[in-house]
Coordinates of all heavy atoms in Angstrom, one line a residue:
M105 N 24.4 7.1 6.5 CA 24.1 5.6 6.6 C 24.4 4.9 5.4 O 24.3 5.4 4.3 CB 22.6 5.5 6.9 CG 22.3 5.8 8.4 SD 20.6 5.3 8.7 CE 19.8 6.9 8.4
S106 N 24.8 3.6 5.6 CA 25.2 2.8 4.4 C 24.0 2.0 4.0 O 23.0 1.8 4.7 CB 26.4 1.9 4.8 OG 26.0 0.9 5.7
F107 N 24.2 1.4 2.8 CA 23.1 0.6 2.2 C 23.8 -0.5 1.4 O 25.0 -0.4 1.0 CB 22.1 1.4 1.4 CG 22.7 2.3 0.4 CD1 23.0 1.9 -0.9 CD2 23.1 3.6 0.8 CE1 23.5 2.7 -1.8 CE2 23.7 4.4 -0.2 CZ 23.9 4.0 -1.5
Y108 N 23.0 -1.6 1.2 CA 23.5 -2.7 0.4 C 23.9 -2.3 -1.0 O 23.2 -1.6 -1.7 CB 22.5 -3.8 0.4 CG 22.9 -5.1 -0.1 CD1 24.0 -5.8 0.3 CD2 22.1 -5.8 -1.1 CE1 24.4 -7.0 -0.2 CE2 22.5 -7.0 -1.6 CZ 23.7 -7.6 -1.2 OH 24.0 -8.8 -1.7
W109 N 25.0 -2.8 -1.5 CA 25.6 -2.3 -2.7 C 24.7 -2.7 -3.9 O 24.8 -2.0 -5.0 CB 27.0 -2.8 -2.9 CG 27.1 -4.3 -3.2 CD1 26.2 -5.3 -3.0 CD2 28.3 -5.0 -3.5 NE1 26.7 -6.5 -3.2 CE2 28.0 -6.4 -3.6 CE3 29.6 -4.6 -3.9 CZ2 29.0 -7.4 -3.9 CZ3 30.6 -5.6 -4.2 CH2 30.2 -6.9 -4.2
A110 N 23.8 -3.6 -3.8 CA 22.9 -4.0 -4.9 C 21.9 -2.9 -5.2 O 21.1 -3.0 -6.2 CB 22.3 -5.3 -4.7
E111 N 21.8 -1.9 -4.3 CA 20.8 -0.8 -4.5 C 21.4 0.1 -5.6 O 20.7 1.0 -6.1 CB 20.6 0.0 -3.3 CG 19.8 -0.8 -2.2 CD 19.3 0.0 -1.0 OE1 18.9 1.1 -1.3 OE2 19.5 -0.5 0.1
A112 N 22.7 0.0 -5.9 CA 23.3 0.9 -6.9 C 22.8 0.4 -8.3 O 22.6 -0.8 -8.6 CB 24.8 0.9 -6.8
D113 N 22.8 1.4 -9.3 CA 22.2 1.1 -10.6 C 23.1 0.2 -11.5 O 22.7 -0.1 -12.6 CB 21.8 2.4 -11.3 CG 22.9 3.3 -11.6 OD1 24.1 2.9 -11.3 OD2 22.7 4.4 -12.1
E114 N 24.3 -0.1 -11.0 CA 25.1 -1.0 -11.8 C 24.7 -2.5 -11.6 O 25.2 -3.4 -12.2 CB 26.6 -0.8 -11.5 CG 27.0 -1.1 -10.1 CD 28.4 -0.7 -9.7 OE1 29.1 -0.2 -10.6 OE2 28.7 -0.8 -8.6
H115 N 23.7 -2.7 -10.7 CA 23.2 -4.0 -10.4 C 21.8 -4.1 -10.9 O 21.0 -3.1 -10.8 CB 23.3 -4.3 -8.9 CG 24.7 -4.3 -8.3 ND1 25.6 -5.3 -8.5 CD2 25.3 -3.3 -7.7 CE1 26.7 -5.0 -7.9 NE2 26.6 -3.7 -7.4
P116 N 21.3 -5.2 -11.3 CA 20.0 -5.4 -11.8 C 19.0 -5.0 -10.7 O 19.1 -5.4 -9.6 CB 19.8 -6.9 -12.1 CG 21.2 -7.3 -12.3 CD 22.1 -6.5 -11.5
G117 N 18.1 -4.1 -11.1 CA 17.1 -3.6 -10.1 C 17.5 -2.5 -9.2 O 16.7 -1.9 -8.5
G118 N 18.8 -2.2 -9.3 CA 19.3 -1.1 -8.4 C 18.9 0.3 -9.0 O 18.7 0.4 -10.2
T119 N 18.8 1.3 -8.2 CA 18.3 2.6 -8.7 C 19.3 3.7 -8.4 O 19.4 4.7 -9.2 CB 17.0 3.0 -8.0 OG1 17.2 3.0 -6.6 CG2 15.9 2.0 -8.3
V120 N 20.1 3.6 -7.3 CA 20.9 4.7 -6.9 C 22.1 4.9 -7.9 O 22.8 3.9 -8.2 CB 21.5 4.4 -5.5 CG1 22.3 5.6 -5.0 CG2 20.4 4.1 -4.5
P121 N 22.3 6.1 -8.5 CA 23.4 6.3 -9.4 C 24.7 5.9 -8.8 O 25.1 6.6 -7.8 CB 23.3 7.8 -9.7 CG 21.8 8.1 -9.5 CD 21.4 7.3 -8.3
S122 N 25.4 4.9 -9.3 CA 26.7 4.5 -8.8 C 27.7 5.6 -8.6 O 28.5 5.6 -7.7 CB 27.2 3.3 -9.6 OG 26.4 2.2 -9.6
A123 N 27.7 6.5 -9.6 CA 28.7 7.6 -9.6 C 28.6 8.5 -8.3 O 29.5 9.2 -8.0 CB 28.6 8.4 -10.8
L124 N 27.4 8.4 -7.7 CA 27.2 9.3 -6.5 C 27.4 8.5 -5.2 O 27.1 9.0 -4.1 CB 25.7 9.8 -6.5 CG 25.3 10.6 -7.8 CD1 23.9 11.2 -7.6 CD2 26.3 11.8 -8.0
T125 N 27.9 7.3 -5.3 CA 28.1 6.5 -4.1 C 29.6 6.2 -3.9 O 30.5 6.4 -4.7 CB 27.4 5.1 -4.2 OG1 28.1 4.3 -5.2 CG2 26.0 5.3 -4.6
T126 N 29.9 5.8 -2.6 CA 31.3 5.4 -2.3 C 31.2 4.2 -1.4 O 30.2 4.0 -0.7 CB 32.0 6.6 -1.5 OG1 33.3 6.2 -1.3 CG2 31.3 6.9 -0.2
A127 N 32.2 3.3 -1.6 CA 32.2 2.1 -0.8 C 32.7 2.4 0.6 O 33.7 3.1 0.8 CB 33.1 1.0 -1.4
V128 N 32.0 1.9 1.6 CA 32.4 2.2 3.0 C 32.7 0.9 3.8 O 33.2 1.0 4.9 CB 31.3 3.0 3.7 CG1 31.2 4.4 3.2 CG2 29.9 2.3 3.7
A129 N 32.4 -0.2 3.2 CA 32.6 -1.5 3.8 C 32.4 -2.6 2.8 O 31.8 -2.3 1.7 CB 31.7 -1.8 5.0
P130 N 32.8 -3.8 3.0 CA 32.5 -4.9 2.0 C 31.0 -4.9 1.8 O 30.2 -5.1 2.7 CB 33.0 -6.1 2.7 CG 34.1 -5.7 3.6 CD 33.6 -4.3 4.1
M131 N 30.6 -4.8 0.5 CA 29.2 -4.9 0.1 C 28.3 -3.8 0.7 O 27.1 -3.9 0.6 CB 28.6 -6.2 0.5 CG 29.4 -7.4 -0.2 SD 28.8 -9.0 0.3 CE 27.4 -9.2 -0.7
R132 N 28.9 -2.7 1.2 CA 28.1 -1.6 1.7 C 28.6 -0.3 1.0 O 29.8 0.0 0.8 CB 28.3 -1.4 3.2 CG 28.0 -2.6 4.0 CD 26.5 -3.0 4.0 NE 25.6 -1.9 4.5 CZ 24.3 -2.1 4.6 NH1 23.7 -3.2 4.1 NH2 23.5 -1.1 5.1
L133 N 27.6 0.5 0.6 CA 27.9 1.8 0.0 C 27.3 2.9 0.8 O 26.4 2.7 1.7 CB 27.2 1.9 -1.4 CG 27.6 0.8 -2.5 CD1 26.8 1.0 -3.7 CD2 29.1 1.0 -2.8
A134 N 27.7 4.1 0.6 CA 27.1 5.3 1.2 C 27.0 6.4 0.1 O 27.8 6.3 -0.9 CB 27.9 5.8 2.4
M135 N 26.2 7.3 0.2 CA 26.1 8.4 -0.7 C 27.4 9.2 -0.5 O 27.9 9.5 0.6 CB 24.9 9.3 -0.5 CG 23.6 8.7 -0.7 SD 23.4 8.0 -2.4 CE 23.5 9.5 -3.4
R136 N 28.1 9.6 -1.6 CA 29.3 10.4 -1.5 C 29.0 11.7 -0.7 O 27.9 12.3 -0.8 CB 29.8 10.8 -2.9 CG 30.6 9.7 -3.5 CD 31.2 10.0 -4.9 NE 31.4 11.4 -5.1 CZ 31.2 12.0 -6.3 NH1 30.7 11.3 -7.3 NH2 31.4 13.3 -6.4
G137 N 29.9 12.0 0.1 CA 29.8 13.2 1.0 C 29.2 12.9 2.3 O 29.4 13.7 3.2
T138 N 28.5 11.8 2.5 CA 27.9 11.5 3.8 C 28.9 10.8 4.8 O 28.5 10.6 5.9 CB 26.7 10.7 3.7 OG1 27.0 9.4 3.1 CG2 25.6 11.4 2.8
D139 N 30.1 10.4 4.3 CA 31.0 9.7 5.1 C 32.1 10.6 5.6 O 33.2 10.2 6.0 CB 31.6 8.5 4.3 CG 32.4 9.0 3.1 OD1 32.0 10.1 2.6 OD2 33.2 8.3 2.6
R140 N 31.8 11.9 5.6 CA 32.8 12.9 6.1 C 32.4 13.4 7.5 O 31.3 13.3 7.9 CB 32.8 14.1 5.1 CG 33.3 13.7 3.7 CD 33.4 14.8 2.8 NE 33.7 14.4 1.5 CZ 33.3 15.0 0.4 NH1 32.5 16.0 0.4 NH2 33.6 14.5 -0.8
A141 N 33.4 14.1 8.1 CA 33.1 14.6 9.5 C 32.0 15.7 9.4 O 31.2 15.7 10.3 CB 34.4 15.2 10.0
T142 N 32.0 16.4 8.4 CA 30.9 17.4 8.2 C 30.1 16.9 6.9 O 30.5 17.2 5.8 CB 31.4 18.8 7.9 OG1 32.3 19.2 9.0 CG2 30.3 19.8 7.8
P143 N 29.2 16.0 7.1 CA 28.5 15.4 6.0 C 27.6 16.3 5.2 O 27.0 17.2 5.7 CB 27.7 14.2 6.6 CG 27.5 14.7 8.0 CD 28.6 15.6 8.4
R144 N 27.7 16.1 3.9 CA 26.7 16.7 2.9 C 26.6 15.8 1.7 O 27.6 15.6 1.0 CB 27.2 18.1 2.5 CG 26.4 18.6 1.3 CD 26.1 20.0 1.3 NE 25.1 20.2 0.2 CZ 24.4 21.3 0.1 NH1 24.4 22.2 1.0 NH2 23.6 21.5 -0.9
C145 N 25.4 15.3 1.6 CA 25.2 14.3 0.5 C 25.4 15.0 -0.9 O 24.9 16.1 -1.1 CB 23.8 13.7 0.6 SG 23.4 12.6 -0.8
V146 N 26.1 14.4 -1.8 CA 26.4 14.9 -3.1 C 25.1 15.2 -3.9 O 25.1 16.0 -4.8 CB 27.4 14.0 -3.8 CG1 26.7 12.7 -4.2 CG2 28.0 14.7 -5.0
A147 N 24.0 14.5 -3.5 CA 22.8 14.6 -4.2 C 21.9 15.7 -3.7 O 20.8 16.0 -4.2 CB 22.0 13.3 -4.2
L148 N 22.4 16.4 -2.6 CA 21.5 17.4 -2.1 C 21.8 18.8 -2.8 O 22.9 19.3 -2.7 CB 21.8 17.6 -0.6 CG 20.9 18.6 0.2 CD1 19.5 18.1 0.2 CD2 21.5 18.8 1.6
D149 N 20.8 19.3 -3.4 CA 21.0 20.6 -4.1 C 20.4 21.7 -3.3 O 19.5 21.5 -2.5 CB 20.2 20.6 -5.5 CG 20.9 19.8 -6.6 OD1 22.1 19.6 -6.4 OD2 20.2 19.4 -7.5
G150 N 20.9 22.9 -3.4 CA 20.4 24.0 -2.7 C 21.2 24.5 -1.5 O 22.4 24.0 -1.3
E151 N 20.7 25.4 -0.8 CA 21.4 26.0 0.4 C 20.6 25.6 1.7 O 19.4 25.9 1.8 CB 21.4 27.5 0.2 CG 22.2 28.2 1.3 CD 22.2 29.7 1.1 OE1 21.9 30.2 0.0 OE2 22.4 30.4 2.1
I152 N 21.3 24.9 2.6 CA 20.7 24.5 3.8 C 20.2 25.7 4.6 O 20.9 26.7 4.8 CB 21.7 23.7 4.7 CG1 22.0 22.3 3.9 CG2 21.2 23.4 6.1 CD1 23.1 21.5 4.5
G153 N 19.0 25.6 5.1 CA 18.4 26.8 5.8 C 17.6 27.7 4.9 O 16.8 28.5 5.4
R154 N 17.7 27.5 3.6 CA 16.9 28.3 2.7 C 16.0 27.4 1.8 O 14.8 27.4 2.0 CB 17.8 29.1 1.8 CG 18.6 30.2 2.6 CD 19.4 31.1 1.7 NE 18.6 31.9 0.8 CZ 18.1 33.1 1.2 NH1 18.4 33.6 2.4 NH2 17.4 33.8 0.3
S155 N 16.6 26.6 0.9 CA 15.8 25.7 0.1 C 16.7 24.6 -0.4 O 17.8 24.9 -1.0 CB 15.2 26.5 -1.1 OG 14.5 25.6 -1.9
V156 N 16.4 23.4 -0.1 CA 17.1 22.2 -0.6 C 16.2 21.2 -1.2 O 15.0 21.2 -0.9 CB 18.0 21.6 0.6 CG1 19.1 22.5 1.0 CG2 17.0 21.2 1.7
A157 N 16.8 20.3 -2.0 CA 16.0 19.2 -2.6 C 17.0 18.1 -3.0 O 18.1 18.3 -3.3 CB 15.3 19.7 -3.8
C158 N 16.5 16.9 -2.9 CA 17.2 15.7 -3.3 C 17.2 15.6 -4.8 O 16.1 15.5 -5.4 CB 16.7 14.5 -2.6 SG 17.5 13.0 -3.2
R159 N 18.3 15.6 -5.5 CA 18.4 15.5 -6.9 C 18.0 14.2 -7.4 O 17.7 14.0 -8.6 CB 19.8 15.9 -7.3 CG 20.1 15.9 -8.8 CD 21.4 16.8 -9.1 NE 22.4 16.8 -8.1 CZ 23.5 16.1 -8.2 NH1 23.8 15.3 -9.2 NH2 24.5 16.2 -7.2
I160 N 18.0 13.1 -6.6 CA 17.7 11.8 -7.0 C 16.6 11.2 -6.2 O 16.6 10.0 -6.0 CB 19.0 10.9 -6.9 CG1 19.5 10.8 -5.5 CG2 20.1 11.3 -7.9 CD1 20.4 9.6 -5.2
Y161 N 15.7 12.0 -5.8 CA 14.6 11.6 -4.9 C 14.0 10.2 -5.3 O 13.8 9.4 -4.4 CB 13.6 12.7 -4.8 CG 12.6 12.4 -3.6 CD1 13.0 12.7 -2.3 CD2 11.3 11.9 -3.8 CE1 12.2 12.5 -1.2 CE2 10.5 11.7 -2.8 CZ 10.9 12.0 -1.5 OH 10.0 11.7 -0.4
A162 N 13.6 10.1 -6.5 CA 12.9 8.9 -6.9 C 13.8 7.7 -6.9 O 13.4 6.5 -7.0 CB 12.3 9.0 -8.3
L163 N 15.1 7.9 -6.9 CA 16.1 6.8 -7.0 C 16.9 6.6 -5.7 O 17.8 5.8 -5.6 CB 17.1 7.2 -8.1 CG 16.5 7.5 -9.5 CD1 17.6 8.0 -10.4 CD2 15.8 6.3 -10.0
R164 N 16.5 7.4 -4.6 CA 17.3 7.4 -3.4 C 17.4 6.0 -2.8 O 16.5 5.2 -2.9 CB 16.7 8.4 -2.4 CG 15.4 8.1 -1.9 CD 14.7 9.3 -1.3 NE 13.5 9.1 -0.6 CZ 12.3 8.8 -1.2 NH1 12.2 8.7 -2.5 NH2 11.2 8.6 -0.5
P165 N 18.4 5.8 -1.9 CA 18.6 4.5 -1.3 C 17.7 4.3 -0.1 O 17.0 5.2 0.4 CB 20.1 4.5 -0.8 CG 20.4 6.0 -0.6 CD 19.5 6.7 -1.7
S166 N 17.7 3.0 0.4 CA 16.7 2.6 1.4 C 16.8 3.5 2.7 O 15.7 3.8 3.3 CB 16.9 1.1 1.7 OG 18.2 0.8 2.1
P167 N 18.0 3.8 3.2 CA 18.0 4.6 4.4 C 17.2 5.9 4.3 O 16.6 6.4 5.2 CB 19.5 4.9 4.7 CG 20.2 3.8 4.0 CD 19.4 3.5 2.8
C168 N 17.3 6.5 3.1 CA 16.6 7.8 2.8 C 15.1 7.5 2.7 O 14.3 8.3 3.2 CB 17.1 8.4 1.5 SG 18.9 8.6 1.5
R169 N 14.7 6.4 2.1 CA 13.3 6.1 1.9 C 12.7 5.7 3.3 O 11.5 6.0 3.5 CB 13.1 4.8 1.0 CG 13.5 5.1 -0.4 CD 13.4 3.9 -1.3 NE 13.9 4.1 -2.6 CZ 13.1 4.7 -3.5 NH1 11.9 5.1 -3.3 NH2 13.6 4.9 -4.7
E170 N 13.5 5.2 4.2 CA 12.9 4.8 5.5 C 12.9 5.9 6.5 O 12.4 5.7 7.6 CB 13.7 3.6 6.0 CG 13.5 2.3 5.1 CD 14.6 1.3 5.3 OE1 15.5 1.5 6.1 OE2 14.6 0.3 4.5
F171 N 13.6 7.0 6.2 CA 13.7 8.1 7.2 C 12.4 8.9 7.1 O 11.9 9.4 6.1 CB 14.8 9.0 6.8 CG 15.1 10.1 7.8 CD1 16.0 9.9 8.8 CD2 14.5 11.3 7.7 CE1 16.3 10.9 9.7 CE2 14.7 12.3 8.6 CZ 15.6 12.1 9.6
N172 N 11.7 9.0 8.3 CA 10.5 9.7 8.4 C 10.8 11.2 8.6 O 11.5 11.5 9.5 CB 9.6 9.2 9.5 CG 9.0 7.9 9.2 OD1 8.8 7.5 8.1 ND2 8.8 7.1 10.3
W173 N 10.2 12.1 7.7 CA 10.4 13.5 8.0 C 9.6 13.9 9.2 O 8.6 13.3 9.5 CB 10.1 14.3 6.7 CG 8.9 13.9 6.0 CD1 8.8 13.1 4.9 CD2 7.6 14.5 6.2 NE1 7.5 13.0 4.5 CE2 6.7 13.8 5.3 CE3 7.0 15.4 7.1 CZ2 5.3 14.1 5.2 CZ3 5.7 15.6 7.0 CH2 4.8 15.0 6.1
H174 N 10.1 15.0 9.8 CA 9.4 15.5 11.0 C 8.0 15.9 10.6 O 7.7 16.7 9.7 CB 10.2 16.8 11.4 CG 9.7 17.4 12.7 ND1 10.0 16.9 14.0 CD2 8.9 18.5 12.9 CE1 9.4 17.6 14.9 NE2 8.7 18.6 14.3
G175 N 7.1 15.3 11.4 CA 5.7 15.6 11.1 C 5.0 14.5 10.2 O 3.8 14.5 10.1
E176 N 5.8 13.6 9.7 CA 5.2 12.6 8.8 C 4.3 11.7 9.7 O 4.7 11.3 10.8 CB 6.2 11.7 8.2 CG 5.7 10.7 7.2 CD 6.8 10.0 6.4 OE1 8.0 10.3 6.6 OE2 6.4 9.2 5.5
Q177 N 3.1 11.5 9.3 CA 2.1 10.7 10.1 C 1.9 11.3 11.5 O 1.6 10.6 12.4 CB 2.5 9.3 10.2 CG 2.5 8.6 8.8 CD 3.1 7.2 8.8 OE1 3.6 6.7 9.8 NE2 2.9 6.5 7.7
G178 N 2.1 12.7 11.6 CA 1.9 13.3 12.9 C 2.9 13.1 13.9 O 2.7 13.5 15.1
E179 N 4.0 12.4 13.6 CA 5.1 12.1 14.5 C 6.3 13.0 14.4 O 6.7 13.4 13.3 CB 5.5 10.7 14.3 CG 4.5 9.6 14.5 CD 4.0 9.5 15.9 OE1 4.9 9.6 16.8 OE2 2.8 9.3 16.2
P180 N 6.8 13.4 15.6 CA 8.1 14.2 15.5 C 9.3 13.3 15.1 O 9.2 12.1 15.2 CB 8.2 14.7 17.0 CG 7.6 13.6 17.8 CD 6.4 13.1 16.9
N181 N 10.3 13.9 14.7 CA 11.6 13.2 14.4 C 12.7 14.0 15.0 O 13.1 15.0 14.4 CB 11.8 12.9 12.9 CG 13.0 12.1 12.7 OD1 13.9 12.0 13.5 ND2 13.0 11.4 11.5
E182 N 13.2 13.6 16.1 CA 14.3 14.4 16.8 C 15.6 14.4 16.0 O 16.4 15.3 16.2 CB 14.5 13.9 18.2 CG 13.5 14.4 19.2 CD 13.2 15.9 19.1 OE1 14.2 16.7 19.2 OE2 12.1 16.3 19.0
R183 N 15.7 13.4 15.1 CA 16.9 13.4 14.3 C 16.9 14.6 13.3 O 18.0 15.2 13.0 CB 17.1 12.1 13.5 CG 17.3 10.9 14.4 CD 17.2 9.6 13.7 NE 18.2 9.5 12.6 CZ 18.2 8.6 11.7 NH1 17.2 7.8 11.6 NH2 19.1 8.6 10.8
C184 N 15.8 15.1 12.9 CA 15.7 16.3 12.1 C 16.2 17.5 12.9 O 16.9 18.3 12.4 CB 14.2 16.5 11.6 SG 13.6 15.4 10.4
N185 N 15.7 17.6 14.1 CA 16.1 18.7 14.9 C 17.6 18.7 15.3 O 18.3 19.7 15.3 CB 15.3 18.8 16.2 CG 13.9 19.4 15.8 OD1 13.7 20.2 14.9 ND2 12.9 19.1 16.6
R186 N 18.2 17.5 15.5 CA 19.6 17.4 15.7 C 20.4 17.9 14.5 O 21.4 18.6 14.6 CB 20.0 16.0 16.1 CG 19.6 15.7 17.6 CD 20.4 14.5 18.1 NE 20.2 13.2 17.4 CZ 19.2 12.4 17.6 NH1 18.3 12.6 18.6 NH2 19.1 11.3 16.9
A187 N 19.9 17.5 13.3 CA 20.6 17.9 12.1 C 20.5 19.4 11.9 O 21.4 20.1 11.5 CB 20.0 17.1 10.9
R188 N 19.3 19.9 12.2 CA 19.1 21.4 12.1 C 20.0 22.1 13.0 O 20.6 23.1 12.7 CB 17.6 21.7 12.4 CG 16.7 21.3 11.3 CD 15.2 21.6 11.7 NE 15.0 23.0 11.9 CZ 14.7 23.9 11.0 NH1 14.6 23.4 9.7 NH2 14.5 25.1 11.3
Q189 N 20.2 21.6 14.2 CA 21.0 22.2 15.2 C 22.5 22.3 14.7 O 23.2 23.3 14.9 CB 21.0 21.4 16.6 CG 21.7 22.1 17.7 CD 21.5 21.3 19.0 OE1 21.3 20.1 19.0 NE2 21.5 22.0 20.1
R190 N 22.9 21.2 14.1 CA 24.3 21.2 13.5 C 24.5 22.3 12.5 O 25.7 22.7 12.3 CB 24.6 19.8 12.9 CG 24.9 18.7 14.0 CD 25.6 17.5 13.3 NE 24.8 16.9 12.4 CZ 23.9 15.9 12.6 NH1 23.7 15.5 13.9 NH2 23.2 15.4 11.7
H191 N 23.5 22.8 11.9 CA 23.6 23.8 10.9 C 23.1 25.2 11.5 O 22.9 26.1 10.7 CB 22.8 23.5 9.7 CG 23.3 22.3 8.9 ND1 24.4 22.4 8.1 CD2 23.0 21.0 8.9 CE1 24.7 21.3 7.6 NE2 23.9 20.3 8.1
G192 N 23.0 25.2 12.8 CA 22.6 26.5 13.4 C 21.2 26.9 13.2 O 20.9 28.1 13.3
L193 N 20.3 26.0 12.9 CA 18.9 26.3 12.7 C 18.1 25.9 13.9 O 18.4 25.0 14.6 CB 18.4 25.4 11.5 CG 19.1 25.7 10.1 CD1 18.7 24.7 9.1 CD2 18.8 27.1 9.6
P194 N 17.0 26.7 14.1 CA 16.2 26.4 15.3 C 15.4 25.1 15.1 O 15.2 24.6 14.0 CB 15.2 27.6 15.4 CG 15.2 28.1 13.9 CD 16.5 27.8 13.4
P195 N 15.0 24.5 16.3 CA 14.2 23.2 16.1 C 12.9 23.5 15.5 O 12.3 24.6 15.5 CB 14.0 22.8 17.6 CG 14.3 24.0 18.4 CD 15.2 24.9 17.6
L196 N 12.3 22.5 14.9 CA 11.0 22.6 14.3 C 9.9 22.5 15.4 O 10.2 21.8 16.4 CB 10.8 21.4 13.3 CG 11.7 21.5 12.0 CD1 11.6 20.2 11.3 CD2 11.2 22.6 11.1
P197 N 8.8 23.1 15.2 CA 7.7 23.0 16.3 C 7.2 21.6 16.2 O 7.3 20.9 15.2 CB 6.7 24.0 15.8 CG 6.9 24.2 14.4 CD 8.4 24.0 14.1
P198 N 6.6 21.1 17.4 CA 6.0 19.8 17.4 C 4.9 19.7 16.3 O 4.2 20.7 16.0 CB 5.3 19.7 18.7 CG 6.0 20.7 19.6 CD 6.4 21.8 18.6
P199 N 4.8 18.6 15.6 CA 3.8 18.4 14.6 C 2.4 18.5 15.1 O 2.1 18.2 16.3 CB 4.1 17.1 14.0 CG 4.9 16.3 14.9 CD 5.6 17.4 15.8
Ligands
LIG1102 S1 17.4 11.9 0.4 FE1 18.7 12.4 -1.4 S2 19.9 14.2 -0.7 FE2 19.1 13.3 1.2 S3 20.8 11.8 1.8 FE3 19.3 10.7 0.5 S4 20.1 10.8 -1.5 FE4 21.2 12.4 -0.3

């Protein structure tokens, strides 16, 4: 997902490290690696299916901040299970 370019740290108040972003449209950025057919965010450390973590969690862009993880506030998130399926992982149980 893309986000407004002023979220990048080269702009006043921006937080997202610019070096980890790529322009995808006028005034829109995306995290490098997420604009590929097989997306993998450049800020994601670790091995999918074992242990992963966002290297810039405190600085992440708005689409990441607005994404509810599966089970957050007791609600399921089918997007998590679709992403897991793409990596050959089983779905998460209902929260
Ligand atoms: S939460 Fe972090 S690792 Fe995940 S897409 Fe956002 S910036 Fe990348």
